[in-house]
Amino acid sequence: MPRSSSSPARVPVEERLFSLVLALLATENGLTKNEILSTVQGYRQRFEAHGDNSSLERQFERDKDDIRELGVPLETVESPEAAGNNQLLRYRIPKGAYDLPADVVFSPEEITLLGLAATVWREGSLSGSRAAR
């Protein structure tokens, strides 16, 4: 379905921050700002490939501050080929830096419920992105 001329529906801030954290946890090498804005739920709905994304970039800057305030260890990695180029900075959450404490243990039933919740979240996100197309 083609995108309508009206502005896309806003994704709730909690969903956007959660999607950002998941994306940054899932990448080993990090994601550039452009990759985040064009692919992560909550940003991609408003991203314009060849348009002005300055308000979206400001939103991302605020979101980075918010997740850091929540204790998420967001790391910025410079490109070795282009040191100092802010457009090529990569963002990630280092593996193991955001793990649960070792003394937190889930029962088999809790693990099943967490897996089910993850599946529902993933399917909901996928169906929402399909509907937006």
Side-chain angles (χ1 to χ4, degrees):
M1 177 188 314
R3 189 184 252 183
S4 71
S5 59
S6 65
S7 63
R10 294 223 179 235
V11 172
V13 66
E14 299 83 6
E15 183 176 342
R16 188 180 64 244
L17 293 177
F18 183 71
S19 296
L20 177 59
V21 169
L22 287 180
L24 296 174
L25 279 169
T27 179
E28 211 163 295
N29 297 322
L31 298 170
T32 64
K33 185 186 304 185
N34 196 55
E35 290 169 332
I36 291 167
L37 298 181
S38 64
T39 62
V40 174
Q41 173 77 0
Y43 301 106
R44 71 171 183 250
Q45 290 80 356
R46 295 175 36 221
F47 180 77
E48 296 187 27
H50 301 291
D52 178 16
N53 291 299
S54 56
S55 67
L56 198 55
E57 289 183 23
R58 287 190 300 273
Q59 180 68 64
F60 172 65
E61 294 301 322
R62 288 189 298 271
D63 288 350
K64 284 190 320 186
D65 292 341
D66 288 348
I67 65 172
R68 283 181 172 135
E69 262 183 44
L70 292 169
V72 177
L74 177 62
E75 183 176 85
T76 305
V77 181
E78 266 195 5
S79 170
E81 302 86 41
N85 183 343
N86 287 345
Q87 295 304 311
L88 297 179
L89 286 176
R90 301 186 83 74
Y91 302 91
R92 69 179 180 182
I93 298 171
K95 297 287 182 219
Y98 197 52
D99 290 347
L100 289 171
D103 61 342
V104 174
V105 180
F106 294 105
S107 70
E109 293 84 10
E110 291 168 325
I111 291 171
T112 300
L113 287 173
L114 288 170
L116 179 61
T119 300
V120 168
W121 181 275
R122 182 174 45 253
E123 292 300 318
S125 293
L126 289 175
S127 63
S129 67
R130 286 185 197 128
R133 290 183 185 172

